[in-house]
Amino acid sequence: MGFLEELRALFPPGRVLTQGAALAPYESDALTAYRQRPLAVVLPERKEEVVQTVRLCHRYGVPFVARGSGTSLSGGSLPVEGGIVLALNRMNRILRLDPQAMVAVVEPGVVNLEVSRQAAPFGLYYAPDPSSQPVSTLGGNVAFNSGGAHCLKYGMTANHVLGLEVVTPEGEVVRLGGEGLEGVGPDLHGFFVGTEGLLGVAVEITLRLLPKPEAYHTLLAAYGSLEGAGEAVSLVIRRGLLPGAMEIMDRLAIEAAEAAVQAGYPKAEALLIVELEGPKEEVAEEALVLEEVIRESGALEVRVAGSEAERQAIWKGRKAAFSAVGRLSPDYLVQDGVVPRSRLAEALREIGRLSQAYGLRVANVFHAGDGNLHPLVLYDGKKPGELERAEALAGEILRLCVRLGGSLTGEHGIGVEKKGYMPEMFAPEDLLAMEGVKKALDPKGLANRGKVLPEVARAGG
């Protein structure tokens, strides 16, 4: 038997896809500008099926990519030519939720938001909340060290993963970390988080749960300029406040969100959303300071949510902004470069200049509190050369972030989209060290081949 025959023998009928129409949904992820049809897609329902598939791939030298809902915005779950896709959505069980230990043990296909739903009756929740929270799966969140609006206060996915069970590229099953906050030896599970599938497939994830905040204070402030909103972020932090979230939307993003969900936002060049959360008395005291800071920052209009419904209305527009921008343009690229918070205003001014120089609109909706920009470069892929111009503009924004002392990515990962820019941020020696780790753990280069590491590193090796 050949590879495909042996692969089919591992699964019941209907769980190995090889025909064109069945493969089409897996040709790309949320970065739809890139497409590649895989050799086959397998639909595992149990850990043992992932192990057997990876071992078969290793024996035949077939590359593989693991994915869940395919919400990667950097092409991180793009199939590899001649390779297979492990679609893990059916591994969607919460294996254990222990309110006493405040942990949840989940399979990789569990949707992020489902953990908080299941934990809510115990007064607990899972903190990392990417905008794709209602659909993105935790296996992908681990691979890309996903963030979200509340990561300013609580940190990224890496800060909430306590342990992992991982299938290595050679098909070995290893356990990394455990259930406690304090481990012994090197932080191997922390090392695995954010490696974008290059070092194997997570098949079981142990998550830390947190008590739900006692109180929220959610404020919406309108500004006459995007830079003004950016400067307000620095003012809030300088006054010693650490909000649960600080988000900014520019005029284009506001218009798109209003058209999509009618959140009732005021008309302005920029909106700043600030959410305080914690013990009731603490939030009440911080709210007085916040009000003073926002008044000093020159806000044109300020609204404070007076009820949970009003709070949800404020967040509804922000959470819908990415998809809503699709109403403004047939296509767009989303970048997620990071700049130091103190240089937000400078970065936004330069993005505005680049937008004019390239003749392409850029909508900005982003996690301002941790300097994680999300410029959406709008283009029409049907117009010759416009995609290439959009990619060039996006590249300029990435270089700007690195030049200002930031990073190529805050939460979307490098994927295929940004790997060419890795030399902008890392020295050749750094890239060779990363390549060395990959080769040591995946000598055949099968796990998510072609992602993150630029070819220049391999050429140098």
Side-chain angles (χ1 to χ4, degrees):
M1 287 198 294
F3 173 74
L4 281 180
E5 287 74 21
E6 288 203 47
L7 188 64
R8 289 192 185 99
L10 294 177
F11 291 88
R15 289 211 275 127
V16 177
L17 313 177
T18 57
Q19 299 304 311
L23 297 179
Y26 300 92
E27 287 182 356
S28 71
D29 50 26
L31 184 63
T32 54
Y34 296 78
R35 290 185 180 273
Q36 177 63 56
R37 180 156 295 196
L39 174 67
V41 175
V42 299
L43 308 172
E45 294 181 354
R46 296 178 292 110
K47 173 179 70 179
E48 292 74 19
E49 292 174 340
V50 176
V51 174
Q52 290 174 323
T53 302
V54 171
R55 285 178 180 169
L56 187 66
C57 287
H58 182 255
R59 185 149 56 83
Y60 277 90
V62 174
F64 60 88
V65 176
R67 61 168 272 175
S69 301
T71 54
S72 168
L73 289 160
S74 62
S77 48
L78 183 75
V80 177
E81 184 178 4
I84 68 163
V85 171
L86 284 150
L88 303 176
N89 301 72
R90 296 188 181 198
M91 294 180 64
N92 59 0
R93 287 159 290 215
I94 294 180
L95 302 172
R96 185 162 62 87
L97 197 155
D98 185 340
Q100 297 299 320
M102 296 171 61
V103 299
V105 182
V106 306
E107 292 185 324
V110 172
V111 169
N112 177 304
L113 189 58
E114 188 60 24
V115 179
S116 291
R117 285 184 179 141
Q118 296 294 325
F122 306 103
L124 302 171
Y125 80 116
Y126 176 61
D129 59 342
S131 295
S132 57
Q133 187 182 31
V135 291
S136 68
T137 55
L138 286 157
N141 290 179
V142 168
F144 292 94
N145 193 18
S146 300
H150 290 84
C151 288
L152 167 64
K153 187 168 187 174
Y154 299 103
M156 309 287 282
T157 295
N159 301 106
H160 300 269
V161 172
L162 299 173
L164 294 164
E165 188 168 52
V166 171
V167 181
T168 71
E170 296 184 337
E172 184 183 2
V173 180
V174 296
R175 279 198 168 272
L176 312 174
E179 292 193 2
L181 288 172
E182 297 174 357
V184 176
D187 180 15
L188 293 178
H189 65 288
F191 177 73
F192 185 88
V193 176
T195 51
E196 303 192 25
L198 265 64
L199 305 182
V201 182
V203 288
E204 188 178 297
I205 307 161
T206 302
L207 301 171
R208 179 165 68 118
L209 303 177
L210 297 179
K212 290 180 72 174
E214 185 182 6
Y216 295 97
H217 180 87
T218 308
L219 175 150
L220 179 74
Y223 289 86
S225 72
L226 190 54
E227 295 90 333
E231 286 165 358
V233 171
S234 295
L235 283 176
V236 170
I237 297 297
R238 281 207 298 269
R239 288 293 294 271
L241 297 176
L242 182 58
M246 279 199 287
E247 303 283 300
I248 286 179
M249 300 170 66
D250 73 1
R251 182 173 50 79
L252 274 178
I254 297 166
E255 290 174 3
E258 276 300 298
V261 299
Q262 297 84 46
Y265 288 156
K267 291 183 178 178
E269 288 300 311
L271 292 180
L272 170 64
I273 300 171
V274 186
E275 183 161 275
L276 303 170
E277 59 183 49
K280 193 180 298 182
E281 295 78 9
E282 181 180 304
V283 169
E285 286 188 18
E286 289 184 343
L288 296 175
V289 179
L290 177 63
E291 185 179 324
E292 187 179 306
V293 173
I294 295 298
R295 193 168 55 245
E296 291 171 0
S297 72
L300 303 175
E301 182 178 343
V302 179
R303 298 179 186 175
V304 174
S307 66
E308 179 61 20
E310 290 180 10
R311 173 177 175 254
Q312 291 302 329
I314 289 175
W315 280 113
K316 188 177 181 182
R318 166 60 186 89
K319 293 278 185 180
F322 270 27
S323 55
V325 169
R327 291 169 176 260
L328 303 178
S329 171
D331 302 289
Y332 61 85
L333 295 175
V334 185
Q335 283 300 344
D336 77 319
V338 181
V339 297
R341 194 166 43 228
S342 60
R343 307 192 75 173
L344 260 180
E346 181 181 354
L348 294 169
R349 273 195 301 272
E350 182 62 9
I351 289 172
R353 188 193 69 76
L354 288 168
S355 170
Q356 290 192 345
Y358 277 82
L360 293 172
R361 293 181 297 168
V362 177
N364 291 281
V365 49
F366 57 98
H367 309 313
D370 47 3
N372 187 185
L373 302 171
H374 283 326
L376 288 82
V377 181
L378 313 187
Y379 71 98
D380 184 347
K382 293 178 181 173
K383 294 182 179 177
E386 198 149 290
L387 168 61
E388 290 73 16
R389 208 159 78 246
E391 288 181 321
L393 170 52
E396 291 280 2
I397 293 172
L398 291 176
R399 291 191 179 95
L400 167 69
C401 292
V402 174
R403 197 163 63 244
L404 293 179
S407 163
L408 294 173
T409 178
E411 55 180 337
H412 296 174
I414 299 298
V416 294
E417 182 196 28
K418 305 192 196 86
K419 67 178 184 177
Y421 296 97
M422 288 286 273
E424 302 279 342
M425 185 168 175
F426 296 101
E429 295 79 10
D430 300 328
L431 295 172
L432 287 172
M434 296 179 203
E435 187 74 32
V437 171
K438 171 70 172 171
K439 282 181 179 173
L441 297 174
D442 182 13
K444 292 185 178 179
L446 302 179
N448 215 6
R449 174 182 287 174
K451 314 292 169 57
V452 183
L453 300 170
E455 282 71 18
V456 64
R458 266 160 264 166

